[in-house]
Amino acid sequence: MAVIHRTTLKPTKLELLTDWLPTRAWFQGGGEGAELAKAGGFRLDDPEGEVGIEFMVVEDSAGAHPVAYLVPLTYRAAPLDGAEAALIGTMEHGVLGRRWVYDGCQDPVLTAELAALIDGRAEAQAQSASHTPDQEVTAVRATAGPLPGGFAAAADTGRDTRLSAPDGTTLRLLRIVTPAPDGRPVPPPSAIGHVTGGWDLPDGTRAHGLFATVHPARG
């Protein structure tokens, strides 16, 4: 299970994301940039123990209305070959040394473990506590059989990032997360799987909503 180190990060994750988020197609802010605070999220374990995997929810308060973004991240001890466009930046970790931080939607380790989570083969871990499952994260499959492997070719839209498997199955990572009515997220009718989670709103209340959905290949 994930081990959380209590140490320094230079620059911090939020400092890296403050520069990176405004460059994304799904960023809702204007020319004023971003003012970010961590609002929630969870982690997944890399079976090989090499790559850190985190799904972070950040709240941007720069605009007239706060916006919550889901930012999947991976942390690596060396650059990922062929992923220069996915690099968010590097930081110095007080225990682990230099870490390369990537947009996790373009990291095959993260996408494989997200598929495993939806299949029930992986368990969400608490974002800020070692060896602690996150009971607030729910993953559901509406069809039998495992998801296909090889989700890749991430494409950003105005609200999500879409990854396709070789058979046409699509995994959608919601980038703008919104509270579900009554705290009960409902996936779209076409979804054959989904992930939900929670985060803190600016007023201190807890929200729950969809983080990811899976859709079958179109016939």
Side-chain angles (χ1 to χ4, degrees):
M1 292 186 177
V3 176
I4 309 302
H5 298 281
R6 307 296 179 185
T7 187
T8 58
L9 296 173
K10 295 181 181 181
T12 67
K13 299 172 188 178
L14 290 181
E15 287 171 339
L16 286 178
L17 292 178
T18 295
D19 291 334
W20 181 78
L21 275 179
T23 70
R24 302 298 95 191
W26 34 266
F27 180 67
Q28 300 293 294
E32 65 272 17
E35 295 179 13
L36 303 181
K38 188 170 75 170
F42 67 97
R43 292 178 178 264
L44 293 175
D45 286 333
D46 171 16
E48 302 298 325
E50 296 295 329
V51 180
I53 303 172
E54 181 177 11
F55 290 76
M56 181 184 292
V57 179
V58 295
E59 193 91 35
D60 179 19
S61 60
H65 303 284
V67 180
Y69 297 100
L70 176 65
V71 187
L73 301 168
T74 55
Y75 310 105
R76 289 175 169 268
L80 175 61
D81 289 343
E84 292 80 8
L87 181 66
I88 295 174
T90 60
M91 61 186 182
E92 295 298 326
H93 189 285
V95 175
L96 302 175
R98 178 159 294 185
R99 307 295 283 175
W100 279 257
V101 183
Y102 287 94
D103 174 7
C105 290
Q106 301 185 59
D107 192 317
V109 173
L110 182 144
T111 57
E113 288 312 299
L114 179 58
L117 174 68
I118 297 170
D119 276 342
R121 296 180 285 109
E123 185 176 36
Q125 300 294 310
Q127 186 179 32
S128 301
S130 300
H131 311 302
T132 305
D134 189 332
Q135 303 295 341
E136 196 174 29
V137 175
T138 300
V140 174
R141 275 296 305 278
T143 56
L147 290 177
F151 282 102
D156 287 335
T157 74
R159 296 193 67 86
D160 60 24
T161 298
R162 303 184 180 188
L163 300 100
S164 298
D167 72 347
T169 302
T170 301
L171 180 58
R172 298 180 184 176
L173 279 294
L174 279 72
R175 293 302 202 154
I176 302 167
V177 292
T178 56
D182 302 321
R184 299 177 180 178
V186 178
S190 64
I192 58 173
H194 65 272
V195 177
T196 69
W199 67 97
D200 292 326
L201 296 177
D203 64 5
T205 59
R206 193 72 173 164
H208 294 83
L210 286 169
F211 282 175
T213 59
V214 182
H215 302 264
R218 294 179 180 179

